[in-house]
Amino acid sequence: MKELDYFLADEAATVSIGSALADVIKHQIKQGMVVYLNGDLGAGKTTLSRGFVQGMGHTGHVKSPTYTLVEPYDLGQWRVFHFDLYRLADPEELEYMGIRDYFDDRSCCFIEWPEKGTGLLANADLTINIAYKEQQRTIHLLAESVLGEQILLALSHVVKG
Ligand code: ADP
Ligand code: MG
């Protein structure tokens, strides 16, 4: 499946798309993925990432990595890296961080503002766009790889529009 769209009535709906993606990865796909998150400030990129991180088993707080660029989560056999590149001044910073080591089979990388890291990031399996619809939101998920298509197909069975 190439694309999926949902209406997100409230914050809980945004969180639940993230946690549904986590369920799909843990129980069906069983490998890591790279997700690019697009959308204006306040659209819900961090909110969706929080749903994913918690869905993967993290029980604590999920803070926005705005100032740290990345928050790592070590969750048993899984690793989740939540990036926010909004404040990235120079893409070379990603090289110093050893960015390549973040992308592997057991890692799920959620990347807010991926355009700031163009050329240095792994290709996306999914590109997610969250848009304002008055006070609410819509979400568009686009598969960018065969893995991404498998993920969307599984997600479509779990989350009904
Ligand atoms: P971003 O990371 O895209 O800048 P955040 O996730 O930090 O955005 O903030 C999103 C804001 O929008 C939060 O205040 C959250 O409560 C709210 N929000 C998230 N999803 C929805 C939704 N579907 N409808 C209405 N408000 C939402
Ligand atoms: Mg954010």
Side-chain angles (χ1 to χ4, degrees):
M1 184 169 279
K2 290 263 186 211
E3 302 180 60
L4 263 182
D5 291 275
Y6 294 107
F7 174 68
L8 303 173
D10 55 20
E11 178 182 331
T14 305
V15 171
S16 73
I17 293 285
S19 60
L21 270 172
D23 286 341
V24 161
I25 290 295
K26 281 189 302 185
H27 302 304
Q28 298 187 55
I29 300 293
K30 298 176 181 167
Q31 72 176 85
M33 64 173 170
V34 177
V35 178
Y36 291 0
L37 290 163
N38 297 320
D40 292 340
L41 273 179
K45 303 178 295 295
T46 296
T47 303
L48 183 142
S49 302
R50 167 160 48 92
F52 184 82
V53 167
Q54 292 176 338
M56 293 301 282
H58 177 70
T59 50
H61 188 63
V62 174
K63 54 181 175 178
S64 178
T66 306
Y67 293 95
T68 53
L69 294 182
V70 61
E71 282 297 328
Y73 299 89
D74 208 330
L75 301 167
Q77 62 168 315
W78 294 102
R79 296 187 303 163
V80 178
F81 297 107
H82 178 199
F83 292 87
D84 181 346
L85 305 185
Y86 187 69
R87 289 177 187 278
L88 186 71
D90 182 344
E92 289 224 326
E93 273 185 67
L94 293 175
E95 307 246 40
Y96 305 145
M97 282 168 67
I99 185 78
R100 279 176 196 82
D101 298 338
Y102 288 85
F103 302 110
D104 69 40
D105 251 27
R106 289 279 152 208
S107 300
C108 293
C109 292
F110 277 63
I111 308 170
E112 301 185 38
W113 303 98
E115 63 271 32
K116 302 258 186 178
T118 300
L120 292 169
L121 303 174
N123 291 331
D125 297 298
L126 291 181
T127 296
I128 294 178
N129 195 74
I130 307 176
Y132 285 83
K133 191 170 175 75
E134 296 171 358
Q135 301 306 309
Q136 299 171 305
R137 307 288 189 271
T138 57
I139 186 169
H140 177 74
L141 301 99
L142 177 67
E144 306 270 24
S145 69
V146 173
L147 177 64
E149 292 181 23
Q150 292 165 350
I151 293 165
L152 290 193
L153 181 62
L155 187 69
S156 72
H157 294 305
V158 175
V159 184
K160 303 292 178 189

